[in-house]
Amino acid sequence: MKIYNTMDRKVEDFVPIKEKCVSMYCCGPTVYNFAHIGNLRTYIFEDILRRTFEKYGYKVRHVMNITDVGHLTGDGDDGEDKMEKASRESGKSVYDIASFYTDAFFLDEKRLNIKRPSVVCKATDHIAQMIEIIKGLEEGGHTYIAGGNVYFSIDTIDDYGKLAKLNLDELKSGARIEVDSNKRNPKDFVLWFTNSKFKDQVMQWDSPWGRGYPGWHIECSAMSMKYLGPHFDIHCGGIDAIPVHHTNEIAQSEAYTGNKPWVNYWMHGEFLLNDKGKMSKSSGEFLTLSLLLEKGYDALDYRYFCLTGHYRSQLKFSFEALDMARSARLALVEKTRELLDSRNDSAVLSSSALEYKSAFDDAMNNDLHTPQALASIWKMLKDPGVADAEKLALIYYADDILALSLKDVKKEAERIGSDEDYALLEERSQAKKMKDYQKADQIRAALLERGFIVKDTPAGSILVKA
Ligand code: AMP
Ligand code: ZN
């Protein structure tokens, strides 16, 4: 299997530390708000990565953290803790906020057929491990205390910034950002804040340096090493984590363990864009999965949409593009339904079917090329030289990775209303065709009274529970 390693900026053969095993750590959500569909794109990419390894015989240990403390509004240790800010604005406790948005996040993941990580761990449950690492760094001479905070000194290591290929001299002279005056080097970062910075911080713990709370980056070093050991295979996240968060994770972890490299492969998902650029929580303009569901889409329409782009390319969201993904997914579901009668359990595939199977495998093994993988499935479905039973077998085979619930397709389309409801829906479609919009609107109102919203999609009108 070949994957792109951000550290080397190239596609490389994946060589696991332990044969046929993959240890992978993925930076999880900061649970002060709903995940937006951009965040979810990154988790879909990580799910595809995991499923691909599993499909080809690897045993995957997948660890994901939940950031419930320490993530400040600014990347340079500036600003307020995002959780505390949400608490102040909503009047709810930080712990209630964390628990609410963590549940909401896993509901989104479930709807998107994202497998639950083998280990999900919360930052607030791992303060002791973080303190241990900071103590080790202090003993190794990598820290200093200024203004009550403990800082990591990047000048104590010789390869700071290697992941992002930072040019430190340029950064120093051209630094435009306002720098914390406690820092000896503008790129130094906080390992532990004491209460000197935010006096009313609710989440605080005792530490050898005073009561306070951790900087953001230390949590991922602490939890990944606790659950995967001091040297593991893959670390993932969105590309925005490269210049600061992952750079700092590497600095402190390698300084602490002496292991170089700490992680063998770094993989990053590109952004989901909207009209204005990167979709982001802080800009306040973002779409959630629930909003797509309210508009009548299925979560898997969004999953399909994500699969149409390679994870290392930017993907621009629009409702037109989502409609196209929905039509394609529904067509795939219909095709699967048509093929159900041909089901047979023969394991033998003809040579033409085998060719499509290897085209799919090649695409996935070539750095998770989902657009090519989907294209190979569509081509196969249109090929009269492949028997129906083989087509169905290949759809099921691909669905282990694509996870579009194609294996769950039943002979009868699932209906959420009675025969009468569907007769009304059909009558409305006819009225629309005849351009009798008044009648169509009346039927829509009648269906609403019966508890259904009518959604017009490119694949026809559907009923959604009101
Ligand atoms: P956060 O909850 O803000 O810590 O972000 C969770 C994950 O989503 C991180 O891996 C980010 O890198 C990633 N992310 C943030 N914005 C986007 C976006 N617009 N598109 C794709 N991934 C994103
Ligand atoms: Zn992280």
Side-chain angles (χ1 to χ4, degrees), residues 100-335:
F100 176 82
Y101 289 114
T102 303
D103 290 349
F105 173 75
F106 282 112
L107 181 60
D108 282 353
E109 292 234 301
K110 193 160 172 256
R111 286 171 166 154
L112 287 164
N113 281 348
I114 295 175
K115 283 192 177 184
R116 197 178 166 93
S118 337
V119 177
V120 174
C121 38
K122 290 197 288 185
T124 49
D125 287 342
H126 295 79
I127 302 294
Q129 283 80 8
M130 299 185 214
I131 290 177
E132 266 319 294
I133 296 179
I134 303 172
K135 279 205 294 207
L137 291 172
E138 192 172 44
E139 280 158 24
H142 295 289
T143 66
Y144 60 92
I145 294 175
N149 299 330
V150 183
Y151 290 87
F152 183 91
S153 166
I154 68 157
D155 294 310
T156 63
I157 57 174
D158 54 14
D159 53 4
Y160 181 83
K162 62 185 169 183
L163 179 71
K165 315 266 177 265
L166 297 179
N167 180 331
L168 294 180
D169 294 336
E170 243 172 49
L171 278 169
K172 254 189 199 167
S173 55
R176 277 175 291 122
I177 39 159
E178 208 169 298
V179 173
D180 173 349
S181 59
N182 292 324
K183 292 185 183 180
R184 293 181 187 163
N185 182 316
K187 287 278 154 191
D188 289 348
F189 56 92
V190 174
L191 296 166
W192 188 265
F193 287 103
T194 69
N195 54 10
S196 63
K197 190 156 180 175
F198 303 111
K199 290 230 162 10
D200 301 328
Q201 176 98 15
V202 174
M203 289 192 276
Q204 293 191 22
W205 294 264
D206 288 325
S207 84
W209 313 279
R211 204 165 160 71
Y213 64 103
W216 172 33
H217 320 295
I218 195 72
E219 66 169 88
C220 287
S221 294
M223 289 185 272
S224 59
M225 289 198 263
K226 169 161 183 196
Y227 296 105
L228 297 172
H231 179 208
F232 56 94
D233 293 305
I234 303 180
H235 195 313
C236 301
I239 52 156
D240 52 343
I242 298 171
V244 181
H245 183 51
H246 289 169
T247 288
N248 293 350
E249 276 188 46
I250 293 170
Q252 66 202 5
S253 302
E254 293 190 350
Y256 177 67
T257 61
N259 278 341
K260 281 182 198 252
W262 166 52
V263 169
N264 285 356
Y265 301 87
W266 286 86
M267 296 184 73
H268 294 95
E270 250 290 359
F271 287 143
L272 181 80
L273 309 179
N274 57 20
D275 288 347
K276 305 209 168 90
K278 177 198 167 196
M279 189 172 287
S280 78
K281 283 189 218 173
S282 50
S283 76
E285 283 188 35
F286 62 82
L287 291 170
T288 59
L289 188 66
S290 304
L291 195 101
L292 300 189
L293 301 185
E294 273 166 35
K295 285 183 181 286
Y297 293 96
D298 189 296
L300 298 182
D301 297 335
Y302 182 64
R303 184 171 175 112
Y304 191 103
F305 168 72
C306 289
L307 300 182
T308 61
H310 186 239
Y311 77 93
R312 278 195 292 118
S313 304
Q314 294 188 334
L315 186 62
K316 182 145 183 219
F317 180 83
S318 69
F319 281 100
E320 292 73 39
L322 186 62
D323 283 340
M324 275 161 61
R326 176 174 173 80
S327 302
R329 185 188 68 81
L330 289 176
L332 200 51
V333 167
E334 278 318 308
K335 194 76 205 160

Side-chain angles (χ1 to χ4, degrees), residues 27-32 35-43 46 67 71 82 216 236-241 246 269-273 277-281:
C27 291
T30 309
V31 284
Y32 68 103
H36 60 61
I37 58 172
N39 302 135
L40 294 171
R41 181 188 183 202
T42 296
Y43 300 111
E46 291 160 356
T67 298
H71 195 169
K82 293 186 181 190
W216 172 33
C236 301
I239 52 156
D240 52 343
H246 289 169
E270 250 290 359
F271 287 143
L272 181 80
L273 309 179
K278 177 198 167 196
M279 189 172 287
S280 78
K281 283 189 218 173

